[in-house]
Amino acid sequence: MSKIKILHMYADMLDLYGDSGNMEILKYRCSKRNIECIIDKYSIGDDMPYFPEYDMIYIGGGADLEQQHISSDLVKCRGGIKKAYKNGSFLFLICGGYQLMGKYYRDADGNEIKGLGLFDYFTVAPSSRKKRCIGNIVVNTEITGNPVKVVGFENHGGQTQGVKTPFGSVLYGNGNCSKSDAEGYFEKNVIATYLHGPMLAKNPEISDYMISYCINRRSDTHIKLTKLNDKLEKDCRRVMLERLLNK
Amino acid sequence: MKKLLILLGKIIIKVLHLFHRNAGNLPGIILWHLSKQRCCSIFKVDCPIIAVTGTNGKTSVTNCIAQLFEKSGKKVIINREGNNLDTGICSLLLRHCDMSGNVKADYLILETDESHVPVVYSQMRLETLVVLNFFRDQLDRNGEMETLIKKINSFCRAFDGNLVLNGDDPNTARLGLANPKNERKIRYFNAERYKFATDKTFEASEGHFCPFCSEPLEYEYYQYSHIGKFICKKCGFGDYEPYITASNIDLEKPVFTANRHEYSPKLNSIYNIYNMTAVAAVGKLYRIKPEIIEDVISNYTVNNGRMENFMLGDRKTTLNLAKNPVGANMTLRVMNEMNGDKELLFVLNDNVADGLDVSWIWDINFSIFERVTRVVTSGTRAYDIAVRIKCSGYDPSKITVCPDLDEAVAELARTEGRKFVIANYTAVQPTRQALKRYSENGGKNNE
Ligand SMILES: [Zn+2]
């Protein structure tokens, strides 16, 4: 039986717009295939975990206040997260988690929160709190080898710049910056995105991309995932795509 | 100038009436523009104003407080339809004032939107503010939760009237420390541990940290969501003398004790116990006769989709509004606390007033489902809620998606057994109507 170990960081603080649902979905899709999915949690005050033992590290999004609270703790984890990433652990990052892996995040009042600097991008929030990118979003991504239209919900003030390898192109909504063409950040073992909803709810291909990566990352033979019945998920996405794209 | 605005407002109401339109918010919106956005400042109110705010329960508590005074023989003005923004309150007062803007009543009881408390009561003198709870809700309109609380907190810093606060919600209890000079006018209500309280929270929550010293808050128990007995071990936040406490809570009867009286409310949720304790607190504060308080609390029931009962043929059906995970989890608890098989219809919309976003359904704890034999989903996001329930581990072959509401109700009524319906904000009225249509036509409404 295959096994995946996930570290869900700051689950008690960074959980906007259903972000914890992503863990529930991954666990569900693993259980349907008899893949053991262990999800450990780490938050402020817990013992420092050994990051490289995890196949995936997951961080969700939070309000500014919560983000400030965790940022100094996150800095302590920098070495461990970096090592895990270099060893091929998957980094799955939503909104705040996405922002904090870049160089810095400057909030609406001009306070700079230092990021972990794993990646080159940086994020600046406009001084007006009212200028936020809010709403449904459709992103076309080719990470699985085939084009997939991913549907989610974005709500962020921060404008992320300096991304060279985005997760996908925006078909509807804003993306990294207000009305931008690109959304998120991607490497073969990194998906960083502004999509909430949760992101995986109606996009089973993305879940399976990550599960497949995790169970195969250490082996020479490629284990193919068994197909699941995703009718509800795909109907769900179809309804939204028809509504958002066929105007 | 003020008189001119009032004259104009009254004319607008008259004209709307001529066209058989309900005036609603419109006069207030027009005056808002003409009064440099201070549309509540044009009235002269001499009577005490009591305002009720918070995320959940405003309407119920406002209505009950109004009844306390009405049954004591007082003339009360209240915004019954939930017109709770400055423009809605302005429209209400326009209808009740004379041509000089004098509002004649013994009490004004005003449900007030969380984000509008500072706006409205910088224009009119407030005597008592009741704050029920703050949950993550309607984030899109109000900005983040913390911003909202800060706004109300800075209002409370200069407020010298009575503050009636939910002491079991750190988000509201903190307001009691905003103005230390006003200490003797701060009253906390709270509730003792009830049967379904937990040592840990399994539901989405806020208030993880002490707002004063940033230490994690410690809870003795959680009643629901982040409501419970909390304390900051570092600075002592949470250690207060309650003004009134609900104790001996038994939801099966239902019954609870507060201020040495036993009350038997009609609605059996912990949610309602908190609301009714707030009502009892206001009753105590205004020295309302004990028998009147008891009368109001034990007779209060609602016909607006909040635990409202319908008969679909011979099948008993309970509809409950859920604007957020807290409300939905509440209904699931009530379902679970009831024996026997049951079926659920969940109606989910994503209109503007719903906040456009539906991801809050992922904070509903469906894994607690007990003896739920079938689920029907409907609304503009019928598929989203179906996927949500499926991923909680519920057998997808028992889920039927019917985006059309009449079809969904017919589908629900097709089988025997006890039925529950959860509908979110904009879904609740259409759902009531669909349930009524079905029960009146006995299922023969297929035109
Ligand atoms: Zn403290």
Side-chain angles (χ1 to χ4, degrees):
Chain A
M1 187 163 123
S2 306
K3 183 165 114 178
I4 295 182
K5 274 191 86 169
I6 302 176
L7 183 67
H8 184 182
M9 298 184 73
Y10 311 113
D12 53 341
M13 282 169 267
L14 301 184
D15 179 20
L16 268 191
Y17 299 103
D19 286 346
S20 289
N22 285 328
M23 293 297 99
E24 211 175 328
I25 292 161
L26 288 177
K27 198 162 186 148
Y28 176 78
R29 299 186 71 79
C30 284
S31 76
K32 290 283 149 196
R33 294 165 165 134
N34 262 329
I35 300 169
E36 190 185 356
C37 179
I38 298 165
I39 299 173
D40 289 343
K41 289 189 176 175
Y42 166 80
S43 197
I44 297 175
D46 295 344
D47 292 338
M48 187 62 62
Y50 182 64
F51 291 92
E53 76 171 295
Y54 290 97
D55 299 301
M56 179 189 288
I57 294 168
Y58 175 62
I59 310 178
D64 273 358
L65 179 85
E66 282 141 356
Q67 225 149 291
Q68 277 170 28
H69 266 297
I70 67 112
S71 65
S72 57
D73 188 82
L74 188 62
V75 169
K76 291 184 223 153
C77 305
R78 184 177 187 277
I81 294 175
K82 191 168 183 183
K83 188 169 175 195
Y85 156 69
K86 293 275 184 214
N87 282 351
S89 296
F90 200 99
L91 302 187
F92 182 26
L93 311 162
I94 309 284
C95 196
Y98 171 23
Q99 294 167 344
L100 291 170
M101 290 296 148
K103 286 199 262 191
Y104 59 83
Y105 172 75
R106 193 184 302 143
D107 73 12
D109 303 321
N111 304 316
E112 205 164 290
I113 302 176
K114 223 168 130 45
L116 293 198
L118 252 54
F119 311 117
D120 280 340
Y121 56 78
F122 56 94
T123 305
V124 178
S127 52
S128 163
R129 281 178 203 280
K130 284 183 184 143
K131 278 194 193 140
R132 291 183 73 84
C133 302
I134 302 176
N136 292 307
I137 174 168
V138 182
V139 175
N140 186 64
T141 183
E142 312 236 341
I143 64 160
T144 65
N146 298 308
V148 179
K149 291 191 180 75
V150 173
V151 180
F153 184 84
E154 61 178 333
N155 183 349
H156 54 103
Q159 309 283 299
T160 299
Q161 295 152 52
V163 172
K164 293 187 192 76
T165 51
F167 170 66
S169 55
V170 180
L171 301 180
Y172 182 93
N174 289 289
N176 284 338
C177 299
S178 172
K179 297 195 177 66
S180 57
D181 297 325
E183 205 292 320
Y185 178 82
F186 175 76
E187 289 180 23
K188 72 176 191 324
N189 63 328
V190 181
I191 291 178
T193 174
Y194 276 115
L195 269 66
H196 300 283
M199 139 86 149
L200 299 178
K202 17 187 179 302
N203 308 299
E205 298 88 345
I206 308 302
S207 304
D208 287 357
Y209 171 84
M210 292 190 283
I211 294 171
S212 175
Y213 175 92
C214 288
I215 59 170
N216 286 306
R217 74 183 187 105
R218 283 197 250 246
S219 69
D220 304 325
T221 54
H222 185 85
I223 306 169
K224 240 181 140 218
L225 295 181
T226 43
K227 270 206 175 327
L228 300 180
N229 179 353
D230 293 327
K231 190 173 181 311
L232 277 179
E233 285 84 348
K234 287 184 176 164
D235 282 345
C236 188
R237 180 167 60 193
R238 179 180 47 76
V239 169
M240 288 307 285
L241 288 176
E242 278 167 10
R243 192 208 293 185
L244 299 173
L245 300 182
N246 301 344
K247 275 194 176 161
Chain B
M1 181 61 187
K2 283 181 180 175
K3 281 191 183 174
L4 205 64
L5 287 174
I6 284 164
L7 178 68
L8 182 70
K10 292 224 175 236
I11 291 171
I12 297 167
I13 293 179
K14 275 272 183 298
V15 171
L16 287 169
H17 273 295
L18 282 180
F19 289 99
H20 301 286
R21 293 270 172 84
N22 188 347
N25 258 343
L26 189 60
I29 292 170
I30 295 169
L31 290 201
W32 185 84
H33 284 286
L34 296 175
S35 64
K36 299 200 182 77
Q37 309 177 7
R38 290 178 56 80
C39 58
C40 291
S41 65
I42 60 175
F43 303 101
K44 214 170 148 299
V45 181
D46 288 326
C47 71
I49 302 177
I50 301 173
V52 180
T53 194
T55 313
N56 286 325
K58 288 188 287 285
T59 308
S60 303
V61 172
T62 307
N63 281 318
C64 286
I65 292 173
Q67 285 181 32
L68 291 178
F69 291 103
E70 280 166 350
K71 292 188 179 191
S72 306
K74 304 289 183 196
K75 181 175 186 275
V76 166
I77 295 174
I78 165 180
N79 49 347
R80 279 188 204 278
E81 289 86 33
N83 278 328
N84 61 13
L85 306 180
D86 54 351
T87 50
I89 290 169
C90 171
S91 302
L92 170 86
L93 296 181
L94 261 180
R95 290 199 296 278
H96 288 279
C97 72
D98 64 15
M99 293 313 272
S100 312
N102 293 308
V103 178
K104 286 269 174 278
D106 294 319
Y107 290 92
L108 280 188
I109 318 286
L110 299 174
E111 170 183 338
T112 310
D113 184 86
E114 303 87 280
S115 63
H116 278 248
V117 168
V119 179
V120 175
Y121 304 109
S122 61
Q123 301 171 39
M124 299 193 296
R125 207 191 118 70
L126 181 64
E127 182 170 281
T128 297
L129 177 64
V130 182
V131 191
L132 300 173
N133 48 54
F134 289 125
F135 293 105
R136 201 180 277 177
D137 186 26
Q138 300 170 328
L139 276 183
D140 300 316
R141 188 160 50 88
N142 291 329
E144 311 283 355
M145 172 64 57
E146 186 61 21
T147 314
L148 173 72
I149 298 174
K150 275 185 181 153
K151 271 196 211 163
I152 298 186
N153 197 61
S154 53
F155 171 80
C156 289
R157 226 173 271 154
F159 180 55
D160 57 5
N162 301 304
L163 257 183
V164 178
L165 302 171
N166 183 345
D168 284 345
D169 179 351
N171 287 342
T172 58
R174 64 190 273 191
L175 300 177
L177 300 169
N179 183 4
K181 275 184 273 175
N182 198 35
E183 201 187 337
R184 61 186 184 86
K185 286 190 174 174
I186 313 291
R187 273 97 176 178
Y188 300 95
F189 64 92
N190 62 3
E192 284 181 0
R193 190 179 182 121
Y194 89 119
K195 190 177 158 194
F196 294 95
T198 51
D199 293 333
K200 283 187 176 172
T201 176
F202 299 103
E203 296 156 0
S205 65
E206 21 256 319
H208 303 293
F209 298 102
C210 173
F212 302 101
C213 66
S214 296
E215 280 292 294
L217 292 175
E218 290 184 27
Y219 275 76
E220 198 175 297
Y221 55 85
Y222 292 88
Q223 307 272 41
Y224 68 98
S225 194
H226 68 278
I227 307 298
K229 186 158 181 58
F230 68 89
I231 185 91
C232 172
K233 286 266 163 73
K234 195 170 170 192
C235 75
F237 171 52
D239 180 20
Y240 56 84
E241 192 59 45
Y243 179 62
I244 194 163
T245 298
S247 55
N248 306 319
I249 301 165
D250 182 351
L251 291 185
E252 261 148 56
K253 288 184 180 153
V255 65
F256 73 100
T257 307
N259 203 25
R260 293 186 305 278
H261 289 271
E262 191 176 89
Y263 298 108
S264 312
K266 284 224 161 39
L267 307 174
N268 64 339
S269 68
I270 185 69
Y271 214 40
N272 184 55
I273 302 287
Y274 273 90
N275 290 343
M276 292 305 119
T277 309
V279 173
V282 173
K284 183 178 172 186
L285 182 62
Y286 282 89
R287 299 201 172 85
I288 303 288
K289 285 192 189 124
E291 58 271 24
I292 290 178
I293 301 177
E294 199 186 319
D295 181 26
V296 169
I297 290 179
S298 53
N299 285 309
Y300 182 69
T301 184
V302 276
N303 291 314
N304 55 3
R306 290 165 170 94
M307 285 294 172
E308 186 177 359
N309 290 321
F310 296 84
M311 292 303 290
L312 300 180
D314 60 353
R315 324 207 198 300
K316 189 173 177 196
T317 306
T318 305
L319 167 67
N320 198 19
L321 163 75
K323 292 190 286 185
N324 47 36
V326 184
N329 281 326
M330 225 43 248
T331 309
L332 296 188
R333 279 184 186 214
V334 173
M335 279 172 72
N336 274 354
E337 288 162 15
M338 191 173 285
N339 296 323
D341 291 348
K342 45 243 160 182
E343 298 184 337
L344 174 68
L345 164 63
F346 202 122
V347 189
L348 183 67
N349 281 350
D350 65 345
N351 295 317
V352 174
D354 299 311
L356 298 170
D357 156 65
V358 296
S359 59
W360 59 273
I361 58 176
W362 289 81
D363 294 330
I364 305 172
N365 188 6
F366 285 102
S367 64
I368 64 165
F369 259 1
E370 268 172 38
R371 305 189 68 176
V372 178
T373 47
R374 213 161 60 98
V375 172
V376 181
T377 69
S378 190
T380 56
R381 299 295 283 266
Y383 282 100
D384 286 79
I385 185 65
V387 169
R388 165 68 193 111
I389 294 172
K390 172 190 166 182
C391 289
S392 72
Y394 190 76
D395 181 356
S397 70
K398 293 181 184 165
I399 303 175
T400 312
V401 182
C402 303
D404 180 86
L405 250 173
D406 285 316
E407 279 173 31
V409 170
E411 175 64 25
L412 182 74
R414 193 170 55 81
T415 47
E416 303 213 323
R418 184 75 170 86
K419 320 282 181 183
F420 284 87
V421 183
I422 297 176
N424 74 328
Y425 193 58
T426 68
V428 77
Q429 288 308 330
T431 304
R432 288 186 75 210
Q433 278 141 24
L435 289 167
K436 273 192 187 162
R437 268 198 298 277
Y438 188 94
S439 59
E440 281 159 18
N441 302 342
K444 292 178 213 57
N445 51 337
N446 300 323
E447 72 267 45

